[in-house]
């Protein structure tokens, strides 16, 4: 089988579960050597064991700049370059207007915006001509969601950043795009509510999707692999929705 990412070096931040873990699997299946990051060593080790010998884990919190320095110095020392960057680390929880705290805002923007910005910036010396950068957005940035305004705003900020960064990077032949999932069956989505209400949340979200179901993490991973490959070499500054049509209706 022709592997579209043979000999490529990739980094997936937030790669220990959900979309990040599934994407790391897909990138390895397509021939890449993949570095993944995660905040907890035990989960990181388990993810590397699942992915296999083509993966290497680096413990890091994407919102801590010294941790990011460790990530990129490790990659520089190991292989000296980076062909694919999937800046995926992020998350958020629900808080209605009127109850939003400084901690809530700082934590979500610290990881989802500040962390992504400096992940991309610190990767620049390693990125090769023709390389691909992909950020994880969200349909929440364009579809209003009650109690989710800070998370939604953080993802909208990423979309805005990519439009400008594509111009900043044009002379280096580096492409940058956003992949925006809709409701995907991940531990993070399930963790928004307690176990008793989880299936109800999944059913309600699926009912709003034109395809009538939740997405699977691997479906996002395959889209990231496409954006990482030469098959998408004329796609730049774009937002690709993996949402069953949710954001279009």
């Amino acid at each position: 089988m022709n592997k579209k990412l043979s000999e490529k070096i990739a980094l997936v931040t937030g790669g220990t579960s959900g979309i990040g873990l599934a994407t790391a699997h897909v990138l390895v299946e397509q021939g890449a050597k993949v570095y993944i990051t995660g905040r907890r060593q035990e989960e990181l080790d388990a993810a590397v064991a699942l992915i296999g010998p083509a993966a290497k884990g680096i413990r890091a919190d994407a919102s801590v700049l010294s941790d990011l320095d460790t990530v990129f110095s490790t990659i520089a020392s190991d292989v000296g370059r980076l062909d694919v960057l999937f800046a995926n680390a992020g998350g958020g929880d629900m808080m209605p207007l009127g109850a939003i705290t400084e901690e809530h805002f700082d934590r979500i923007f610290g990881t989802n915006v500040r962390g992504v910005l400096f992940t991309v910036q610190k990767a620049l010396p390693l990125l090769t001509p023709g390389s691909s950068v992909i950020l994880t957005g969200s349909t929440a940035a364009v579809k209003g969601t009650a109690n989710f305004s800070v998370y939604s705003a953080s993802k909208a900020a990423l979309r805005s950043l990519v439009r400008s960064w594509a111009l900043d990077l044009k002379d280096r032949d580096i492409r940058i795009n956003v992949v925006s999932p809709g409701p995907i069956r991940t531990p993070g989505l399930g963790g928004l509510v307690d176990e008793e209400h989880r299936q109800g949340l999944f059913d309600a979200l699926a009912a709003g999707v034109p395809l009538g179901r939740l997405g699977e993490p691997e479906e996002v991973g395959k889209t990231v692999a496409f954006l990482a490959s030469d098959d998408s070499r004329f796609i730049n500054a774009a937002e690709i929705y993996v949402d069953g049509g949710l954001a279009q209706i």
Side-chain angles (χ1 to χ4, degrees):
M1 183 181 73
N2 180 33
K3 295 187 176 183
K4 296 179 180 180
L5 299 174
S6 291
E7 309 302 323
K8 300 289 188 182
I9 307 298
L11 169 63
V12 176
T13 65
T16 59
S17 68
I19 289 170
L21 178 59
T23 298
H25 268 291
V26 174
L27 297 179
V28 166
E29 287 172 356
Q30 288 298 322
K33 177 178 180 179
V34 178
Y35 291 85
I36 65 170
T37 70
R39 292 178 296 171
R40 290 172 284 273
Q41 190 66 47
E42 184 176 352
E43 293 178 11
L44 189 63
D45 292 342
V48 169
L50 281 171
I51 299 166
K56 179 174 180 176
I58 308 172
R59 197 213 65 77
D61 182 333
S63 67
V64 178
L65 300 195
S66 59
D67 283 5
L68 293 176
D69 288 336
T70 298
V71 170
F72 293 111
S73 65
T74 300
I75 296 172
S77 176
D78 283 357
V79 291
R81 76 176 204 275
L82 197 57
D83 306 302
V84 178
L85 170 60
F86 182 35
N88 169 71
D93 46 74
M94 291 183 152
M95 191 77 69
L97 182 63
I100 294 169
T101 64
E102 186 176 8
E103 184 278 333
H104 175 79
F105 180 91
D106 289 347
R107 172 167 45 82
I108 292 174
F109 265 72
T111 300
N112 292 4
V113 182
R114 182 176 181 270
V116 170
L117 187 160
F118 287 105
T119 295
V120 175
Q121 182 164 285
K122 289 176 180 292
L124 291 178
L126 292 175
L127 289 170
T128 57
S131 59
S132 178
V133 177
I134 304 109
L135 311 187
T136 299
S138 173
T139 55
V142 294
K143 302 284 282 190
T145 306
N147 305 326
F148 220 28
S149 61
V150 175
Y151 173 83
S152 300
S154 73
K155 293 301 185 177
L158 295 186
R159 179 66 185 104
S160 180
L161 288 170
V162 161
R163 287 189 170 99
S164 296
W165 288 349
L167 296 173
D168 292 342
L169 296 172
K170 67 178 184 178
D171 293 335
R172 289 193 54 186
D173 190 26
I174 295 171
R175 296 183 296 113
I176 183 162
N177 295 288
V178 181
V179 59
S180 287
I184 306 295
R185 194 186 309 274
T186 63
L189 181 65
L192 291 174
V193 296
D194 57 40
E195 187 173 357
E196 179 184 356
H197 297 97
R198 193 162 298 151
Q199 191 57 50
L201 172 66
F202 287 173
D203 292 345
L205 291 171
V209 176
L211 287 181
R213 65 174 178 85
L214 299 183
E216 300 299 330
E218 293 77 12
E219 293 175 306
V220 182
K222 289 177 180 179
T223 304
V224 174
F226 166 70
L227 290 172
S229 76
D230 287 343
D231 287 350
S232 64
R233 61 185 176 271
F234 203 55
I235 297 177
N236 190 30
E239 182 171 17
I240 307 298
Y241 290 100
V242 186
D243 67 348
L246 177 67
Q248 310 308 317
I249 295 174

